[in-house]
Amino acid sequence: MAAITAMQYSEEFGSCTDMVPDWTTKEVSTGTTIMAVEYNGGVVIGADSRTTTGAYIANRVTDKLTPIHDRIFCCRSGSAADTQAIADVVTYQLGFHSIELDEPPLVQTAANLFRGSCYKYREELTAGIIVAGWDKRRGGQVYTVPVGGMLVRQPVSVGGSGSTYIYGFMDSNYQPGLTKEQCLELTAKALSLAMERDGSSGGVVRLAAICESGVERQVILGNKLPQCSSH
């Protein structure tokens, strides 16, 4: 009798997993829009702040601009756990490297450390990284480390799920020789446009300008974002 009752209950209500929302089993993702732009004397980096697990927004105000050293940052896209782990490892390695040299590390060194980890664990990790910063040898630099572990230096780089919506915008509006203020404005507009179109990007816009004198950070709240569309 008990077996029959259990069978009837199972048929009527289904298994327990059927009643659990699907986002609880999804990986936490920084499905995202990140970008970095070089200017004469430094770099500007920016990112949205939405973290998702499937269709569920897990965090609206994530900080995806992660400091690696005093004047070196990375922008993270992909799996939140994977990118945080890689950033922690590189921060640790770069700190020791700086102590051994007794001077600040190079941005290219940081980018190569990211490339090494992303390539070595390319089958296990989902991580797209933009490394940007300033050093006394080469000034402001932007390096892209996409999923798989390739490394390339670019004057401007965009990444994440929202980047596909703004390639045309960047092609039309970016040009060499922009000032810091122009780069900040361009980055804010590009991120706002991506956040409007991409369901995995949203929240606030976080910006940072990195140069010889240090790092200047700012946040643009959702109601202060540039309006890019007519509706």
Side-chain angles (χ1 to χ4, degrees):
M1 183 65 179
I4 295 175
T5 303
M7 187 180 298
Q8 291 174 340
Y9 179 86
S10 178
E11 291 175 352
E12 184 174 351
F13 293 100
S15 66
C16 292
T17 56
D18 293 337
M19 304 174 67
V20 176
D22 63 342
W23 57 263
T24 59
T25 61
K26 300 288 186 180
E27 186 177 38
V28 178
S29 170
T30 56
T32 260
T33 307
I34 55 176
M35 66 178 292
V37 186
E38 292 181 5
Y39 68 88
N40 185 23
V43 294
V44 168
I45 59 176
D48 75 309
S49 65
R50 178 173 292 179
T51 295
T52 58
T53 53
Y56 177 77
I57 300 173
N59 191 340
R60 296 179 297 168
V61 288
T62 309
D63 189 356
K64 302 174 188 177
L65 309 181
T66 304
I68 304 301
H69 206 265
D70 293 344
R71 292 176 179 82
I72 304 175
F73 275 65
C74 77
C75 306
R76 303 178 291 111
S77 67
S79 164
D82 293 350
T83 56
Q84 286 172 7
I86 293 174
D88 288 344
V89 168
V90 172
T91 302
Y92 179 82
Q93 294 172 332
L94 203 64
F96 266 99
H97 178 69
S98 177
I99 293 171
E100 290 174 345
L101 295 179
D102 194 27
E103 65 180 18
L106 301 178
V107 181
Q108 187 177 18
T109 302
N112 274 298
L113 290 173
F114 274 105
R115 178 202 56 78
S117 294
C118 290
Y119 181 77
K120 182 177 181 180
Y121 300 105
R122 62 191 180 279
E123 300 294 335
E124 293 83 23
L125 301 179
T126 304
I129 307 289
I130 297 176
V131 185
W134 181 94
D135 62 53
K136 63 182 180 181
R137 183 178 299 181
R138 296 188 179 92
Q141 301 146 74
V142 173
Y143 295 90
T144 304
V145 185
V147 175
M150 183 182 74
L151 174 63
V152 60
R153 181 179 177 182
Q154 298 174 300
V156 58
S157 178
V158 295
S161 58
S163 64
T164 55
Y165 297 93
I166 57 174
Y167 278 112
F169 176 85
M170 295 303 298
D171 288 342
S172 299
N173 291 276
Y174 172 77
Q175 56 187 4
L178 295 178
T179 65
K180 181 178 77 171
E181 289 71 24
Q182 289 173 324
C183 287
L184 286 167
E185 183 181 359
L186 176 66
T187 303
K189 285 184 177 179
L191 291 172
S192 299
L193 182 61
M195 290 162 61
E196 187 171 335
R197 299 295 184 185
D198 178 34
S200 296
S201 301
V204 303
V205 166
R206 297 186 185 275
L207 300 171
I210 309 168
C211 60
E212 182 177 6
S213 60
V215 181
E216 300 175 11
R217 300 195 59 166
Q218 59 177 284
V219 177
I220 304 176
L221 300 180
N223 60 346
K224 303 293 184 182
L225 293 175
Q227 297 298 313
C228 300
S229 66
S230 57
H231 62 274

